[in-house]
Amino acid sequence: MSDDNCVFCKIVGGELEAEILRDEDGVLAFRDINGRAPVHVLVIPKEHVSSLAGIGKVPDGVTKRIFEVAQDVAESEGIAKSGYAFRINNGPDAGQEVFHLHAHVMGGERVRMP
Ligand code: 5GP
Ligand code: ZN
């Protein structure tokens, strides 16, 4: 299911443009519109799940692919060796703004929490 009001569902559906780096069964990776590191990519399940509270609905293979695609993108962006943050902001206290589960891949400079 997709959510009509969700920006990431719109990107999945092609209604909203994004610089897509990987497009495969169940998983999409695209550049963050407001990159806060030299490399800032979002990796998402194509299926709408608002947060980790819904992780049980994501097929195991898709969850695993999110990790693998993150590493794959890091390699092709040239930051796999220098390192990168793989991060999920989950809920208000983490500053989650888009309620479609997504992992940030950030690198190309020293990335610190928060
Ligand atoms: P959150 O704080 O929810 O973990 O991060 C949401 C991220 O989505 C932010 O880094 C923000 O810049 C990015 N974002 C929000 N809207 C869009 C959009 O329409 N396109 C793209 N490519 N990124 C978006
Ligand atoms: Zn969505």
Side-chain angles (χ1 to χ4, degrees), residues 58-80:
V58 180
D60 290 352
V62 170
T63 303
K64 186 175 181 213
R65 278 307 288 162
I66 290 171
F67 284 78
E68 290 172 342
V69 166
Q71 173 63 20
D72 190 37
V73 164
E75 283 169 17
S76 50
E77 292 289 311
I79 59 164

Side-chain angles (χ1 to χ4, degrees), residues 2-3 6-10 46-49 99-100:
S2 72
D3 180 326
C6 170
V7 286
F8 289 177
C9 283
K10 288 187 177 143
K46 286 185 175 175
E47 195 72 26
H48 182 86
V49 172
F99 284 82
H100 179 131

Side-chain angles (χ1 to χ4, degrees), residues 44-56:
I44 70 167
K46 286 185 175 175
E47 195 72 26
H48 182 86
V49 172
S50 49
S51 72
L52 282 171
I55 192 69

Side-chain angles (χ1 to χ4, degrees), residues 98-113:
V98 176
F99 284 82
H100 179 131
L101 181 62
H102 54 279
H104 296 255
V105 175
M106 301 172 79
E109 65 182 16
R110 185 67 190 266
V111 182
R112 288 192 169 81
M113 302 281 263

Side-chain angles (χ1 to χ4, degrees), residues 9-72:
C9 283
K10 288 187 177 143
I11 290 172
V12 170
E15 296 158 58
L16 195 66
E17 263 191 57
E19 189 187 340
I20 291 169
L21 304 180
R22 293 288 184 284
D23 183 352
E24 58 174 66
D25 253 16
V27 180
L28 194 68
F30 53 91
R31 230 176 273 287
D32 195 292
I33 203 169
N34 179 30
R36 273 149 283 149
V39 176
H40 189 169
V41 175
L42 303 173
V43 187
I44 70 167
K46 286 185 175 175
E47 195 72 26
H48 182 86
V49 172
S50 49
S51 72
L52 282 171
I55 192 69
K57 292 189 213 122
V58 180
D60 290 352
V62 170
T63 303
K64 186 175 181 213
R65 278 307 288 162
I66 290 171
F67 284 78
E68 290 172 342
V69 166
Q71 173 63 20
D72 190 37

Side-chain angles (χ1 to χ4, degrees), residues 75-104:
E75 283 169 17
S76 50
E77 292 289 311
I79 59 164
K81 286 213 173 82
S82 49
Y84 59 94
F86 176 77
R87 170 175 175 144
I88 293 172
N89 294 326
N90 198 68
D93 278 357
Q96 185 178 1
E97 285 173 2
V98 176
F99 284 82
H100 179 131
L101 181 62
H102 54 279
H104 296 255

